[in-house]
Amino acid sequence: MRSIASTAAAVAVLVTFTVAHFYLLLYTLRFLLSRTLGDDAHTSNVPQRAPTRRIYVYDIPERLLHRDYQMDLESCPDSFYSVEIELPRLLKQSKWSLNATHTKDAALADYFLVPHYSTCYYNKCMQSARAGGGQNCEERVKQYMSDILDHVEAEYPFWQRNAGMDHMFVLSWDWGVHLFGDQDESVIRNRLASSIHLTLLGLAAKDKRNVFDPQKDLSIPPLRDYRIPQSLQQLHRERERAIFAYFRGTITDEFRYSRGLRQRIRKYGEDDPVNYFVRLQHGDFYWHELSSARYALCPAGWSHWSPRLFDAILAGALPVLIADEWVPAFNGTFVNYDEFIVRVAEKDINNLTAILHAIPRQKEDAMRRNMRQYTKRFLYGHTPTDDDATDTIMQALARRPVPQMIPVITDMGGNSEAEYSPHDEEPPSRQPSEDVSEGEL
Ligand SMILES: *[C@@H]1O[C@H](CO)[C@@H](O)[C@H](O)[C@H]1NC(C)=O
Ligand SMILES: *[C@@H]1O[C@H](CO)[C@@H](O)[C@H](O)[C@H]1NC(C)=O
Ligand SMILES: *[C@@H]1O[C@H](CO)[C@@H](O)[C@H](O)[C@H]1NC(C)=O
């Protein structure tokens, strides 16, 4: 009997495993198929909730988008910066899209999205500059953006209508609009100043570089291929988490980089390897390690934001956010980060071990359970669905009043004439220009 039972058990395990792999394979195939064939068949299954805002996504001609030279866009979608490429496509497919057949019908839109691939363009230019090819990348990316905006202004009547305040740009560069230079010397940056910037870098208040304004801009999640952690979740749901605190990634000796935070983490790894699993190289076991970790350290790098936060959420490791100024995507609206992250002030980095050990195991488990309910908010599905990242971006905008120019009455008597002032004009201030990394966070 026992051997029959154990054979049956073994078969059951085998079947479960095979079934799991089968679905994984099926999922991968479907993904690949939908990439090649387009996924229109699935959009009809999207549950409908009446959108209260309409967005019009401009059609930018290929000759402007893909531009003159090394725009090897094929390799861009592998990067989390490629949200600049994916989001316009996703929004266009979403229920929020105003599918105008004639340009004049687009006048009903509340928001206008201007697609552009600036970060990809700049990264490609820098790569080829390092290889001795291209040069002057900052000037070229400024020109690239200007040409696209010129096109929008010349071909459509909508930009002028509200001085660009209802126009949106995905600025996935680590420092958002700073890709186009300092505010006091960059014409294109000033032209974009009143528009809505969708960036990976959210900040609680206007920063010294003036790249994020919480009143009008929106912090969004990066684009990531999360198929691996999702399959890990399915296979080891309640897996033992053997790593206490985890960090893998770039650490340089320059203090300016991460203001000493990552260097301190490297020291934790050297002095206390039992608690701290720290590796300086990116590696193939990243997802396995992350899903075996109880806490994932997410320190600032060149920029305040880091993709690790979202990786950790997907992999079930509690994020330890060590970046005082960063306000991650959807905080306070659709995601209550306080339910599951540990926020450690940068000044308290030396007390990290005590802070983490002070969290009771029960609380840690509860935080991990809380975290699970938010994962969908950070995922860009191949087609948009309710409450995924694309949908949440629009839900967040729908909570705000539609941006409109405020008429300023200058003459109270007789012919009162309306003048318009975009709300984001501030006297420019000179910032020391700093090198910004090309992608290593
Ligand atoms: C616009 O078209 C997409 C498919 O291209 C569709 O999924 C979406 O629902 C449409 N939006 C509206 C408001 O009809
Ligand atoms: C989210 O926003 C609230 C204020 O609305 C702030 O107190 C909190 O620290 C923020 N959390 C994160 C993780 O940024
Ligand atoms: C370090 O953190 C622990 C736990 O949160 C706290 O009790 C202690 O006061 C902190 N020590 C310092 C020096 O901040």
Side-chain angles (χ1 to χ4, degrees), residues 221-249:
L223 186 76
R224 288 291 248 175
D225 181 349
Y226 283 126
R227 277 170 295 157
I228 300 168
Q230 282 180 301
S231 61
L232 280 177
Q233 270 185 351
Q234 280 152 19
L235 292 179
H236 331 267
R237 198 98 231 165
E238 291 306 328
R239 110 190 232 139
E240 174 72 24
R241 292 179 177 269
I243 296 172
F244 180 65
Y246 178 72
F247 178 86
R248 187 186 269 285

Side-chain angles (χ1 to χ4, degrees), residues 348 351 354-356 358:
D348 291 335
N351 196 27
I355 292 171
L356 295 182

Side-chain angles (χ1 to χ4, degrees), residues 185-205:
E185 53 83 12
S186 171
V187 174
I188 182 61
R189 199 180 144 171
N190 283 300
R191 285 174 74 191
L192 299 179
S194 57
S195 64
I196 300 162
H197 302 172
L198 306 184
T199 73
L200 305 177
L201 177 71
L203 299 165

Side-chain angles (χ1 to χ4, degrees), residues 321 324-328 331-332 335 337-338 341 343:
L321 190 55
D324 292 353
E325 279 156 88
W326 184 31
V327 180
N331 178 48
V335 178
Y337 284 92
D338 298 340
I341 71 165
R343 197 153 199 162

Side-chain angles (χ1 to χ4, degrees), residues 301-339:
W302 286 117
S303 176
H304 300 292
W305 88 277
S306 156
R308 284 179 189 78
L309 172 72
F310 306 102
D311 294 352
I313 293 170
L314 262 288
L318 294 180
V320 181
L321 190 55
I322 318 167
D324 292 353
E325 279 156 88
W326 184 31
V327 180
F330 314 134
N331 178 48
T333 48
F334 299 96
V335 178
N336 185 357
Y337 284 92
D338 298 340
E339 289 180 6

Side-chain angles (χ1 to χ4, degrees), residues 17-293:
F17 216 71
T18 316
V19 165
H21 275 93
F22 176 73
Y23 277 107
L24 202 61
L25 186 71
L26 213 63
Y27 182 79
T28 312
L29 276 177
R30 218 206 78 178
F31 181 84
L32 291 174
L33 270 177
S34 66
R35 288 241 134 168
T36 32
L37 300 179
D39 214 5
D40 288 347
H42 297 281
T43 49
S44 56
N45 297 332
V46 174
Q48 294 299 310
R49 196 193 293 157
T52 50
R53 299 283 189 273
R54 289 279 179 223
I55 183 164
Y56 179 68
V57 180
Y58 284 109
D59 274 317
I60 303 297
E62 296 277 301
R63 77 186 150 78
L64 290 177
L65 266 185
H66 292 241
R67 196 56 185 226
D68 43 39
Y69 70 118
Q70 309 93 349
M71 278 296 270
D72 170 21
L73 285 175
E74 297 300 303
S75 58
C76 282
D78 288 340
S79 146
F80 38 71
Y81 300 118
S82 303
V83 64
E84 71 183 357
I85 298 172
E86 279 296 282
L87 192 57
R89 183 186 72 75
L90 288 167
L91 282 172
K92 216 168 180 166
Q93 284 185 18
S94 77
K95 66 186 181 195
W96 306 85
S97 172
L98 187 112
N99 298 326
T101 36
H102 298 289
T103 300
K104 65 172 169 50
D105 302 331
L108 295 172
D110 303 294
Y111 290 102
F112 297 82
L113 183 90
V114 183
H116 67 100
Y117 305 154
S118 299
T119 298
C120 180
Y121 186 80
Y122 182 76
N123 280 338
K124 292 293 160 195
C125 181
M126 288 299 285
Q127 271 169 24
S128 103
R130 277 191 291 266
Q135 53 183 315
N136 217 352
C137 297
E138 193 174 320
E139 288 312 310
R140 292 175 96 142
V141 75
K142 285 178 186 171
Q143 190 60 49
Y144 168 85
M145 193 71 244
S146 301
D147 291 347
I148 289 178
L149 191 51
D150 287 348
H151 172 84
V152 166
E153 288 202 48
E155 302 296 321
Y156 300 87
F158 310 122
W159 178 270
Q160 286 84 351
R161 206 168 67 168
N162 282 307
M165 288 168 71
D166 48 6
H167 279 56
M168 312 200 305
F169 295 82
V170 181
L171 295 168
S172 57
W173 181 246
D174 293 339
W175 281 95
V177 73
H178 199 72
L179 176 61
F180 304 117
D182 284 337
Q183 200 171 35
D184 56 350
E185 53 83 12
S186 171
V187 174
I188 182 61
R189 199 180 144 171
N190 283 300
R191 285 174 74 191
L192 299 179
S194 57
S195 64
I196 300 162
H197 302 172
L198 306 184
T199 73
L200 305 177
L201 177 71
L203 299 165
K206 281 194 180 186
D207 63 305
K208 66 183 169 69
R209 296 187 193 190
N210 223 352
V211 297
F212 188 87
D213 176 355
Q215 295 298 312
K216 69 172 183 69
D217 301 329
L218 192 67
S219 174
I220 63 170
L223 186 76
R224 288 291 248 175
D225 181 349
Y226 283 126
R227 277 170 295 157
I228 300 168
Q230 282 180 301
S231 61
L232 280 177
Q233 270 185 351
Q234 280 152 19
L235 292 179
H236 331 267
R237 198 98 231 165
E238 291 306 328
R239 110 190 232 139
E240 174 72 24
R241 292 179 177 269
I243 296 172
F244 180 65
Y246 178 72
F247 178 86
R248 187 186 269 285
T250 309
I251 302 181
T252 72
D253 285 327
E254 237 179 313
F255 180 83
R256 214 160 55 100
Y257 178 69
S258 86
R259 298 182 296 284
L261 294 173
R262 294 190 182 195
Q263 293 84 345
R264 185 66 186 89
I265 286 170
R266 179 173 59 195
K267 185 115 192 353
Y268 275 120
E270 288 160 6
D271 297 348
D272 184 5
V274 172
N275 281 316
Y276 291 91
F277 184 109
V278 177
R279 298 290 182 276
L280 310 191
Q281 267 78 43
H282 292 279
D284 291 344
F285 299 109
Y286 177 68
W287 290 114
H288 282 272
E289 290 159 2
L290 197 52
S291 54
S292 311

